[in-house]
Amino acid sequence: MQKTHNHILKINNRKMKKIAVIGSNGQLGNCIRKIAPDFEHQYEFLFTDSATLDITNEEQVNDFFYDNKPDYCINASAYTAVDLAEKEKEKAFAVNADGVAHLAQACTDYKSILIHVSTDYVFDGSTNLPYSEDDFTNPIGVYGESKRKGEELALEINPKTIIIRTSWLYSEFNKNFVKTMLNLFSQKEELGIVADQFGQPTNANDLAEAIMKIIEAPKKTFGIFHFSNYPETTWFEFAKKIAEFSRSPVKLKPLTTEQYPTPAKRPVRSTMSLDKIEETYNIEPKHWENSLEECVGTLSQQ
């Protein structure tokens, strides 16, 4: 009987692993926050935002790791203003490259696994084939350049890094294409949407679940992975489905990229192959229409 009692005590005293979520006020951060209670018996979550932890400040990052010693660090923070980045190159690189280097160094020093979220914008989008993780990167804007630099620094500094490239992220949180469309649908009768750029819309809730699956995996494979919903679509078709699921009577008309110029160039087709994450971590991405319908349903209840 005594032996069993000691065994129970030992289990109860076992140290819970810590997960630091950097940038927890963003879309992905909020989605991880939402599912964190499902894992409260396995992990202790440490949520930070730019007000509580400025990743561009190396000293702050070191202090945070010294105080908390997380087992995992999910970097969900990023400078994501794609067009503004063309003017604010230093700011974009400070967060997306230097900040990532600071986290990677702290992860190395405190033996933490870094899970860093990157983007399809590291590619130039000039191919008709889905990009694999090993394909040549050639970003065509400052945002993509800064994110690619962050990838390189993370892998160089911390061998225990998992990079997840994702695309066209949306959720019920913060500002994103789905929420912008729903807002515009309520104000306008007709709307023009770009129809010649291809990519994969991704529900940030699905990405949050994929990251937790990776953390729970008993064996870790490090390096770069792609995760999004599938298959590819255009912004126009994406908007049409948002209108359908929200029962909006809005008329949508297709535009070319030339008809809708933006300060930063966008990749024409940045579709990514999802085979590696499925084979390595047994993560099966969902069809984007199913995930979108869930999100529009959640937003309609708010």
Side-chain angles (χ1 to χ4, degrees):
M1 192 68 197
Q2 185 62 39
K3 201 174 174 184
T4 313
H5 182 64
N6 286 344
H7 180 58
I8 291 166
L9 270 180
K10 199 174 170 186
I11 288 174
N12 290 346
N13 288 341
R14 194 168 55 200
K15 195 170 152 281
M16 223 186 248
K17 291 207 164 174
K18 291 181 186 177
I19 301 172
V21 182
I22 315 297
S24 64
N25 281 352
Q27 288 196 78
L28 175 59
N30 271 306
C31 291
I32 295 170
R33 208 188 274 272
K34 191 170 97 174
I35 60 172
D38 300 341
F39 300 92
E40 64 186 0
H41 298 302
Q42 296 146 272
Y43 304 103
E44 182 188 339
F45 287 83
L46 310 161
F47 293 101
T48 79
D49 55 33
S50 55
T52 54
L53 178 61
D54 175 6
I55 64 168
T56 67
N57 184 321
E58 194 171 8
E59 199 178 327
Q60 271 194 37
V61 173
N62 286 336
D63 289 347
F64 174 81
F65 272 76
Y66 177 79
D67 292 341
N68 297 287
K69 297 175 182 62
D71 298 277
Y72 296 92
C73 173
I74 302 170
N75 183 26
S77 70
Y79 178 106
T80 56
V82 176
D83 289 323
L84 201 55
E86 296 299 310
K87 281 187 196 165
E88 297 187 345
K89 187 170 181 174
E90 279 184 25
K91 265 193 191 177
F93 271 82
V95 178
N96 294 345
D98 302 341
V100 178
H102 298 155
L103 290 172
Q105 188 57 58
C107 283
T108 302
D109 295 344
Y110 290 92
K111 297 178 174 54
S112 306
I113 290 173
L114 175 62
I115 298 173
H116 172 60
V117 180
S118 193
T119 173
D120 58 324
Y121 276 48
V122 299
F123 299 113
D124 62 18
S126 62
T127 177
N128 285 326
L129 296 168
Y131 285 102
S132 83
E133 287 79 355
D134 301 324
D135 278 340
F136 180 68
T137 55
N138 184 33
I140 53 175
V142 170
Y143 167 69
E145 285 170 16
S146 66
K147 291 295 286 182
R148 180 58 190 140
K149 188 65 184 168
E151 290 184 0
E152 288 168 357
L153 290 166
L155 292 167
E156 197 181 295
I157 296 166
N158 182 30
K160 289 189 171 180
T161 291
I162 295 166
I163 288 170
I164 304 173
R165 291 181 185 143
T166 192
S167 58
W168 297 20
L169 214 58
Y170 70 89
S171 66
E172 65 270 38
F173 302 107
N174 303 35
K175 199 178 156 203
N176 57 69
F177 185 77
V178 174
K179 288 177 79 175
T180 299
M181 286 299 110
L182 291 171
N183 189 34
L184 288 172
F185 293 171
S186 65
Q187 297 168 22
K188 298 185 182 293
E189 288 178 13
E190 191 173 287
L191 213 55
I193 309 289
V194 173
D196 59 358
Q197 290 172 18
F198 297 80
Q200 292 142 300
T202 308
N203 188 327
N205 289 286
D206 294 341
L207 178 57
E209 284 175 19
I211 288 171
M212 289 311 300
K213 254 196 161 177
I214 288 171
I215 286 174
E216 287 199 293
K219 186 177 174 290
K220 299 288 186 286
T221 302
F222 302 105
I224 300 173
F225 295 87
H226 292 165
F227 178 85
S228 67
N229 294 132
Y230 77 93
E232 70 170 23
T233 189
T234 63
W235 291 111
F236 177 70
E237 292 298 330
F238 189 17
K240 266 172 66 176
K241 278 292 166 190
I242 298 167
E244 181 189 317
F245 293 142
S246 62
R247 297 185 175 84
S248 169
V250 71
K251 283 193 184 77
L252 298 174
K253 57 174 188 175
L255 299 178
T256 63
T257 298
E258 282 73 30
Q259 288 172 299
Y260 191 79
T262 54
K265 280 177 79 178
R266 265 59 172 177
V268 172
R269 181 179 251 112
S270 56
T271 308
M272 300 183 296
S273 165
L274 308 173
D275 294 344
K276 187 179 171 185
I277 201 162
E278 198 166 339
E279 287 160 11
T280 311
Y281 284 107
N282 199 26
I283 290 167
E284 283 187 48
K286 293 181 190 170
H287 196 293
W288 70 263
E289 290 182 18
N290 298 338
S291 283
L292 174 64
E293 191 169 14
E294 280 174 30
C295 183
V296 172
T298 301
L299 284 165
S300 67
Q301 288 162 13
Q302 286 181 359

